[in-house]
Amino acid sequence: MNFIDRERPIGIFDSGIGGLTVVKRLAATLPNENLIYFGDTARVPYGSKSNSTVIEYALQDAKFLTTKNVKAIVVACNTASSVAISVLKDKYEIPIIGMIEPGTEFALKTTRNKKIGIIGTRTTTDNKAYSKALKKADKNINVFEKACPLFVPLAEEGWTKHKATYKIAEEYLAELREQNIDTLILGCTHYPILAEVIQEVIGKNVKLIDSGIAAAELVRTEIERIGLLNNSNSLGNREFYVTDIPKKFKEIAELFLSSPVKEVRKVELEDILR
Ligand code: DGL
């Protein structure tokens, strides 16, 4: 291993803009690392698709990132993490970091009354990825799961505080509000974009879990373990690739990363399918 190896980028993928919430956490935790983001905006949402389709897409997304010589891959999508993580880990030797494991640990450390709510896409909640992981760690945990599929298009649209977002959140979170949960896992990387609305509607006593925070720490641990932590003093590069119109993506990326995004490149789907 040499200096150049340490400078290899970390690859991050999601179905769309949601994974930017993870990029934000990674950039704060590991500012010197070079990051390459891939958003499969042509095929978003993943959360309403079958497990086999999501696995196929996740393999293609990861393959694209490996062509960029990444030293680790962050599956910044709970849907893909819930169905494809073991397939990806079997296929690649570099560290593959999903959202479920760090999010679960973070929630277990946070809860006091052991009542945890989970919101996510339909594929994530149908697969019960978080419930299984939480129960495996502590069988006395009570979980309450709810699919909130409309949150993804609202986040993609940038409707972070729109009245329609409040209305939909009221509808989705009503049942969870009755369960006396003290912790709510944002089990979709798009949801931290709507965190203000979600917090207001669920109540300020409920702690929101953004898996990206814990995932960023896990990325650090993993790349340190393989001796590839980038210890350069300069700020890392950020590159962004999407599979459909980059314009809206750029606007939203700048909003959420609170920094200018120089360029968003479009990748042709047929190139990643090859
Ligand atoms: N951001 C993704 C997740 O964390 C999925 C959104 C979607 O494509 O449905 O599940």
Side-chain angles (χ1 to χ4, degrees), residues 186-201:
L186 304 177
C188 171
T189 53
H190 280 72
Y191 297 179
I193 295 169
L194 308 179
E196 262 187 71
V197 175
I198 295 172
Q199 184 75 74
E200 212 175 298
V201 173

Side-chain angles (χ1 to χ4, degrees), residues 61-105:
D61 302 345
K63 187 170 151 213
F64 171 79
L65 290 172
T66 58
T67 65
K68 303 284 174 198
N69 194 25
V70 294
K71 60 184 174 187
I73 292 178
V74 182
V75 184
C77 172
N78 286 268
T79 308
S81 299
S82 69
V83 298
I85 204 78
S86 52
V87 180
L88 292 168
K89 284 188 176 175
D90 286 348
K91 190 168 167 77
Y92 293 107
E93 276 172 15
I94 55 173
I96 307 285
I97 297 99
M99 294 295 113
I100 312 293
E101 186 196 334
T104 299
E105 269 181 37

Side-chain angles (χ1 to χ4, degrees), residues 117-122 125 144-155 164-179 181 184 191 194 197-198 201-202:
I118 302 148
I119 52 175
T121 66
R122 236 189 264 292
T125 55
F144 306 92
E145 254 176 306
K146 176 82 186 165
C148 305
L150 294 173
F151 281 170
V152 171
L154 290 169
T165 310
Y166 276 97
K167 265 213 129 27
I168 289 167
E170 293 277 355
E171 189 75 32
Y172 278 150
L173 303 178
E175 288 166 37
L176 285 175
R177 263 202 310 225
E178 286 162 19
Q179 304 299 338
I181 56 168
L184 177 64
Y191 297 179
L194 308 179
V197 175
I198 295 172
V201 173
I202 197 73

Side-chain angles (χ1 to χ4, degrees), residues 21-22 24-25 99 102-103 106 130 184-189 191-193 195 207-216:
T21 62
V22 182
K24 187 175 178 145
R25 304 305 185 183
M99 294 295 113
F106 191 10
Y130 277 107
L184 177 64
I185 299 178
L186 304 177
C188 171
T189 53
Y191 297 179
I193 295 169
K207 293 250 171 18
L208 300 188
I209 301 295
D210 175 347
S211 303
I213 297 177

